[in-house]
Amino acid sequence: MTTRSIDEIRAEYISSMGDELGASFYELYRKLVELHILWQQYRQLFGDDTETVNLLNRAAGLFFKIVQDELWDSVLLGVSRMTDRPETGKKKNLTIQSLPPMITDLALRAELQALCDEALDSAEFAREHRNKRIAHQDHNYLSNRGSDPLSGISRALVEQMLAALRAVLNRLEKHFRDSTVMYEDFVDESGARLLIHKLRKLERLQKG
């Protein structure tokens, strides 16, 4: 099995999509891969397995609570960045909203814009948390959380946000390269799953 380098993957996107679109797409592709890795680690540590959560609490409860909160907020920040406006004042942002204007095929551009709009709608919760709590300290929210509450976010909503982002990038992947990327199926060989395995093994040894 051949492993391609980062430069080779970038060159492939530029070759198939053109300089501007290919280079921009590649950076968003990388960010979406990173975002899915973060979410995968969160799910493996703090997902639906109560036994695993109890194990983490026994091993180092405070530390893993901090890890849980930071991973959660990092995912919300990542979703927010991916769906930001293409410009903030005079500065450009690279987001999914940057992509439609680069498309010369009008039908494809309209289809991609519709997918971007769906991703923006699904990311509304993440952006609210980013703006009021994570990236900024919103005065009204901190002063009176009861009168200015944040919308709730569930794991199911995060899954919907990520699926909407995948739909945007995979539409272009399909059009230009006749393929799709399984962002959600990243192979984890040295992350949270391995940590849990070692903690369980250590606990068994300690019980002797």
Side-chain angles (χ1 to χ4, degrees):
M1 182 172 138
T2 303
T3 302
R4 296 172 298 164
S5 70
I6 290 175
D7 289 339
E8 287 173 334
I9 296 173
R10 183 176 186 274
E12 289 175 6
Y13 280 121
I14 289 175
S15 176
S16 59
M17 297 183 181
D19 290 344
E20 183 183 25
L21 178 60
S24 298
F25 183 94
Y26 168 73
E27 296 302 333
L28 291 172
Y29 152 82
R30 282 187 58 205
K31 292 298 181 183
L32 192 54
V33 168
E34 292 170 3
L35 192 51
H36 278 79
I37 292 172
L38 281 175
W39 183 238
Q40 180 197 64
Q41 299 305 294
Y42 179 93
R43 290 302 301 264
Q44 288 179 5
L45 287 171
F46 312 107
D48 301 325
D49 187 350
T50 304
E51 182 183 342
T52 298
V53 174
N54 291 337
L55 171 69
L56 299 179
N57 286 332
R58 290 193 300 271
L62 175 59
F63 171 76
F64 283 111
K65 177 64 170 68
I66 292 170
V67 171
Q68 180 179 21
D69 291 345
E70 291 301 316
L71 282 175
W72 180 261
D73 285 352
S74 292
V75 171
L76 298 186
L77 275 173
V79 170
S80 298
R81 292 190 189 109
M82 289 284 290
T83 56
D84 269 336
R85 295 178 180 177
E87 300 92 15
T88 302
K90 295 181 179 180
K91 295 183 179 180
K92 283 189 173 182
N93 301 317
L94 181 55
T95 82
I96 59 169
Q97 295 195 73
S98 307
L99 296 174
M102 300 180 192
I103 307 297
T104 55
D105 183 318
L106 296 182
L108 178 61
R109 182 192 296 179
E111 187 177 348
L112 191 68
Q113 186 61 61
L115 290 172
C116 286
D117 291 343
E118 291 177 13
L120 285 173
D121 287 343
S122 72
E124 180 180 350
F125 300 101
R127 297 171 64 77
E128 182 184 5
H129 279 254
R130 189 272 302 270
N131 294 337
K132 286 189 175 183
R133 181 181 62 79
I134 304 173
H136 307 286
Q137 295 183 157
D138 183 87
H139 182 272
N140 290 336
Y141 169 68
L142 291 176
S143 299
N144 192 344
R145 299 186 186 189
S147 65
D148 190 21
L150 282 168
S151 301
I153 289 188
S154 66
R155 292 169 188 168
L157 283 174
V158 172
E159 295 284 1
Q160 290 176 22
M161 295 176 198
L162 294 176
L165 291 173
R166 293 196 300 271
V168 172
L169 296 196
N170 272 331
R171 182 62 190 92
L172 290 182
E173 191 90 37
K174 183 66 176 176
H175 179 84
F176 287 100
R177 294 162 59 85
D178 194 28
S179 65
T180 56
V181 175
M182 300 297 290
Y183 292 95
E184 65 273 36
D185 288 340
F186 172 76
V187 177
D188 169 20
E189 296 180 348
S190 62
R193 199 185 304 278
L194 180 60
L195 173 63
I196 293 166
H197 171 75
K198 290 186 175 182
L199 286 175
R200 283 179 176 149
K201 185 176 181 180
L202 176 61
E203 194 170 67
R204 287 195 299 268
L205 289 172
Q206 289 175 335
K207 291 179 179 177

